[in-house]
Amino acid sequence: MTSKTPIQLHINGHRHELEVEPRVTLLDALRDHLGLTGTKKGCDQGQCGACTVHIDGQRVLACLTLACQAEGRAVTSIEGLAQDDGTLHAVQAAFLEQDAFQCGYCTPGQIMSAVACIREGHAGSDDEIREYMAGNLCRCGAYPHIVAAVRQAALEVAS
């Protein structure tokens, strides 16, 4: 029998106390233990970017991060981007306006990476956006719309 470890996670501004096995990933803690299913499980190997979240403002792949590694740090998932009144983050709104999704499965990870891409200052050109968003795959091929959405959101955030 594997022992469980008590941990405290700070997710989207809320404190959560959990008891998890030491091998539980942040992705599984979010989805299976906390019911935050917006972060998607794609490849579960760190190759697709569908599980992208932010820890202390830095993008990370939740499938490769143990939940215990996030203890005491600020985790933001897709559910935490919108304001409390429901106003969408600029990137979320731009994804809607630019029709930057088809099936939508990769969208949460794409949005989380786009927010970080803009915050990191890597949205100066379409080529730069493509380079810094390269870790997020879209099986539907919505890349031109994703780049347009990131470009739009970067301009809105800058103004």
Side-chain angles (χ1 to χ4, degrees):
M1 182 170 167
T2 305
S3 64
K4 293 191 175 188
T5 303
I7 62 171
Q8 262 188 26
L9 296 177
H10 298 275
I11 300 168
N12 303 327
H14 301 283
R15 187 172 58 110
H16 300 273
E17 294 186 19
L18 302 170
E19 285 195 18
V20 297
E21 293 179 8
R23 64 184 177 180
V24 169
T25 64
L26 180 57
L27 176 60
D28 290 337
L30 290 170
R31 294 182 59 79
D32 301 338
H33 296 270
L34 297 172
L36 297 171
T37 57
T39 304
K40 302 302 180 204
K41 183 179 277 199
C43 67
D44 214 19
Q45 297 177 7
Q47 298 295 312
C48 72
C51 66
T52 303
V53 298
H54 298 168
I55 296 181
D56 294 336
Q58 302 295 311
R59 58 180 140 178
V60 299
L61 299 172
C63 75
L64 297 181
T65 305
L66 295 175
C68 61
Q69 291 176 290
E71 188 168 23
R73 301 171 74 192
V75 177
T76 305
S77 69
I78 189 69
E79 291 91 347
L81 278 188
Q83 295 178 18
D84 290 339
D85 67 0
T87 302
L88 295 178
H89 185 282
V91 173
Q92 292 172 305
F95 264 66
L96 287 171
E97 290 174 26
Q98 294 294 332
D99 197 25
F101 52 87
Q102 287 183 31
C103 81
Y105 197 81
C106 72
T107 305
Q110 295 278 0
I111 289 172
M112 296 304 290
S113 281
V115 170
C117 178
I118 293 166
R119 184 178 29 229
E120 294 163 2
H122 299 299
S125 69
D126 287 3
D127 285 341
E128 189 176 33
I129 292 167
R130 278 191 282 278
E131 179 179 346
Y132 283 89
M133 293 290 293
N136 290 78
L137 303 180
C138 173
R139 291 178 50 187
C140 301
Y143 296 113
H145 297 278
I146 292 168
V147 171
V150 176
R151 184 182 341 107
Q152 175 184 325
L155 291 172
E156 290 175 18
V157 168
S159 64

